[in-house]
Amino acid sequence: MPEQMRSTLRHHFTHDRHRPRYHFLPPSNWMNDPNGLIQWNGMYHLFYQHNPYGPLWGNMSWGHAVSEDLIHWQDLPVALSPTPNSPDESGCFSGCAVDDDGTPTIIYTAVRGDHHEIQTQSIAVSYDNLMTWQKHPSNPVIAEVPPELGQTRDFRDPFVWKEGHTWYMALASRIQNAQNAVGVVLLYRSANLIDWEYLNPLLEGEPGKHGVLWECPNLFKSGDKWLLIVSAYLESSKSTVLYFVGEYKDFRFHPESSGVLDYGDLYAPLTFADGQGRRLLFGWLRESRPDADQERAGWSGVQSIPRVLSLDAQQRLLMKPVPVLEALRTRHYTIHARPLTENIPLDVRGLQLDIEAQFAPGKAGICGFSFAFSDSDHEQVDILYDSNRQHLMVRKWHPEATGAATSTLEAEHHLAPDEPLHLRILLDGSVIETVANDRTSITSRYYPTSSDSAGVTLIAQDCTLESLDVWEMASIWS
Ligand code: DQQ
């Protein structure tokens, strides 16, 4: 699709208040997992699971965009799409990109079968600065599912890195036996990205605790520890993102602690290291509205603002939006530090906001923000910290004929004695990314029906405001 058509498509959505303005999403249609993140000649390349033909999942291809700064993106042509009568005839599923001694190389899951049930691993290379990709004649490079898994349908999402002269691959799957199923990450190695040797499971989940299937693994070193991130299907048929911190030795991962990366709608994240030595994470912010609404909208799926990852002294995963995001801040609003005894309406409106706030919560205090999306009380999102329960919650009010129902996303969030509560909230159309103290993340989606602006109220019962900054945010597409 020529560049002009892509920008015309984006223009077509100008009046869609649910569509984010400063988060990346394709010109139109469906997007899910981030894929193939790589910095090449100084440019950041973001590939993504994409249906070029519609706003629902299907025709899995790799969309492509490029950025100098991780925030402003230029759309590029689709990089990979299914080739009839080939190992990927039913889809090019998720994967990664590496620098093979000067040749950019994608490693991805090639899918065959009416139910996407034949999953193998393939590679593709580019000789024109990542613009076009040639699938390798040896594909698939991994075709056999290890028999010990007890199933053959779930075997995907290669994550590849190099140690010395050897390539390693973490691959996600499921071990099925008569009693139960557990998620597993498998470990492979190769000298040339084409011939792969299966070593052993890198890590198996605990039955009943870590889910029945894992997807999209990431393994990397952070300080002197190793981090393994997996996207997990849980027994409850929900899905979540887990992280494990520990040691990686003798080809096995030895977890020492674990956590939940996000308690809301962020899924299938992919990380990569950039030239500044940062470990950056993008995650798919999935929609929480029905398919029919996504079809009506003509688009679905958003990428998170990239987050810089690190570990704190207690081995908790810290996530901070990339600092360059601050370049989009426009009108600034602040109020002075003060003890708070009542709610305070703030003089900010609009659906594109970046909020940073710090509170000293009292023992039984509630503090946070309420976003009103209409003049009635029925379209509202509350982001609150309850210091009695040590819980962070995102409470969404859904208007109904007879009043308002709510749904709540919540997470335990323990503050050390005298540790202030820090909230960072990125509101962008239907996206609300909330992270408390850089470590407890609840990403949520909300689709107001009746207004194009949010009135924001500071909620305060027994807490002291230490700082508050709110910025309106510019669009990345204008
Ligand atoms: N999405 C891809 C799979 C992956 C899943 C298919 C995770 O490769 O396991 O679109 O969202």
Side-chain angles (χ1 to χ4, degrees):
M1 189 192 308
E3 174 56 30
Q4 182 164 2
M5 258 170 92
R6 285 189 283 268
S7 62
T8 308
L9 267 176
R10 288 194 181 279
H11 189 67
H12 170 78
F13 294 110
T14 306
H15 300 293
D16 180 344
R17 64 180 170 271
H18 299 140
R19 199 168 149 91
R21 303 277 184 260
Y22 68 89
H23 284 71
F24 176 79
L25 73 175
S28 68
N29 291 328
W30 170 273
M31 172 175 71
N32 54 306
D33 318 349
N35 290 158
L37 297 170
I38 193 166
Q39 196 179 14
W40 197 270
N41 291 336
M43 300 294 281
Y44 292 99
H45 289 258
L46 164 65
F47 300 87
Y48 52 89
Q49 288 284 280
H50 183 42
N51 180 357
Y53 307 110
L56 299 182
W57 189 91
N59 307 301
M60 292 328 293
S61 306
W62 279 40
H64 187 188
V66 71
S67 171
E68 243 173 90
D69 62 2
L70 288 167
I71 291 295
H72 296 87
W73 296 93
Q74 187 197 340
D75 296 309
L76 292 177
V78 167
L80 289 181
S81 38
T83 301
N85 304 314
S86 85
D88 66 20
E89 65 182 4
S90 306
C92 301
F93 276 17
S94 287
C96 61
V98 297
D99 177 354
D100 182 16
D101 205 12
T103 306
T105 304
I106 282 174
I107 305 105
Y108 68 104
T109 298
V111 176
R112 257 192 145 135
D114 292 344
H115 303 285
H116 309 98
E117 70 275 23
I118 305 171
Q119 307 192 343
T120 57
Q121 317 315 318
S122 282
I123 65 178
V125 292
S126 174
Y127 299 112
D128 58 1
N129 206 24
L130 290 77
M131 288 300 287
T132 61
W133 294 84
Q134 282 147 43
K135 295 175 186 173
H136 201 278
S138 309
N139 286 339
V141 294
I142 300 179
E144 296 300 318
V145 180
E148 70 210 54
L149 298 184
Q151 59 84 28
T152 56
R153 301 174 70 100
D154 292 307
F155 184 62
R156 56 181 178 268
D157 308 336
F159 179 86
V160 174
W161 70 99
K162 200 171 194 182
E163 290 173 33
H165 294 292
T166 306
W167 293 102
Y168 289 89
M169 176 196 293
L171 196 62
S173 187
R174 159 171 69 95
I175 300 178
Q176 183 72 54
N177 58 43
Q179 292 78 44
N180 55 33
V182 289
V184 63
V185 175
L186 309 170
L187 186 64
Y188 287 76
R189 94 178 143 198
S190 170
N192 56 10
L193 294 172
I194 294 167
D195 304 298
W196 289 93
E197 173 194 6
Y198 172 54
L199 295 172
N200 50 253
L202 177 73
L203 183 69
E204 287 172 36
E206 284 178 40
K209 185 170 178 198
H210 295 137
V212 293
L213 163 67
W214 284 355
E215 303 180 302
C216 302
N218 288 253
L219 178 73
F220 56 91
K221 201 162 186 199
S222 181
D224 54 6
K225 290 287 162 194
W226 285 81
L227 255 151
L228 177 66
I229 299 174
V230 294
S231 293
Y233 267 67
L234 302 177
E235 284 78 359
S236 60
S237 79
K238 290 199 183 120
S239 48
T240 191
V241 183
L242 304 173
Y243 70 88
F244 299 90
V245 183
E247 298 293 339
Y248 165 52
K249 60 171 184 286
D250 303 328
F251 306 129
R252 306 246 178 202
F253 189 84
H254 305 272
E256 294 164 2
S257 60
S258 63
V260 173
L261 191 140
D262 184 81
Y263 289 85
D265 296 317
L266 186 153
Y267 194 66
L270 180 65
T271 70
F272 73 115
D274 80 347
Q276 298 175 40
R278 301 181 295 184
R279 178 58 58 166
L280 296 162
L281 174 142
F282 283 72
W284 166 36
L285 310 185
R286 54 191 169 193
E287 305 297 321
S288 63
R289 57 180 169 176
D291 285 0
D293 291 354
Q294 297 174 44
E295 287 198 85
R296 246 190 311 276
W299 60 273
S300 176
V302 179
Q303 293 299 328
S304 67
I305 294 299
R307 299 177 179 188
V308 185
L309 303 185
S310 60
L311 287 176
D312 72 6
Q314 294 166 59
Q315 301 196 355
R316 293 175 301 199
L317 180 62
L318 301 183
M319 299 168 269
K320 285 178 196 276
V322 278
V324 65
L325 180 69
E326 293 161 23
L328 298 179
R329 291 170 170 174
T330 60
R331 181 177 170 252
H332 178 230
Y333 174 86
T334 186
I335 57 176
H336 296 300
R338 64 184 78 168
L340 295 171
T341 49
E342 58 184 2
N343 298 343
I344 302 180
L346 306 179
D347 180 24
V348 279
R349 294 183 80 79
L351 287 175
Q352 275 67 42
L353 300 175
D354 178 355
I355 300 179
E356 283 203 61
Q358 189 154 302
F359 304 88
K363 283 252 172 317
I366 300 272
C367 39
F369 297 90
S370 181
F371 297 83
F373 296 99
S374 69
D375 292 336
S376 76
D377 286 340
H378 296 331
E379 294 207 303
Q380 183 178 318
V381 174
D382 303 328
I383 299 176
L384 302 172
Y385 182 65
D386 176 341
S387 55
N388 186 29
R389 292 172 60 228
Q390 302 252 315
H391 262 229
L392 178 70
M393 55 201 156
V394 176
R395 188 168 59 195
K396 304 192 267 185
W397 298 78
H398 304 283
E400 289 183 343
T402 53
T406 62
S407 62
T408 304
L409 298 166
E410 53 185 321
E412 282 181 20
H413 181 65
H414 297 286
L415 294 173
D418 297 329
E419 183 183 12
L421 172 74
H422 181 267
L423 287 181
R424 181 81 183 266
I425 300 170
L426 302 176
L427 169 70
D428 189 8
S430 54
V431 166
I432 311 173
E433 293 193 62
T434 303
V435 184
N437 297 75
D438 298 334
R439 62 177 184 263
T440 303
S441 168
I442 304 182
T443 301
S444 57
R445 306 296 305 273
Y446 189 74
Y447 310 91
T449 58
S450 58
S451 164
D452 62 356
S453 63
V456 186
T457 303
L458 183 60
I459 304 293
Q461 292 165 15
D462 182 27
C463 65
T464 300
L465 179 71
E466 294 187 339
S467 65
L468 173 69
D469 294 283
V470 184
W471 293 269
E472 293 174 11
M473 298 292 276
S475 165
I476 56 174
W477 303 109
S478 47

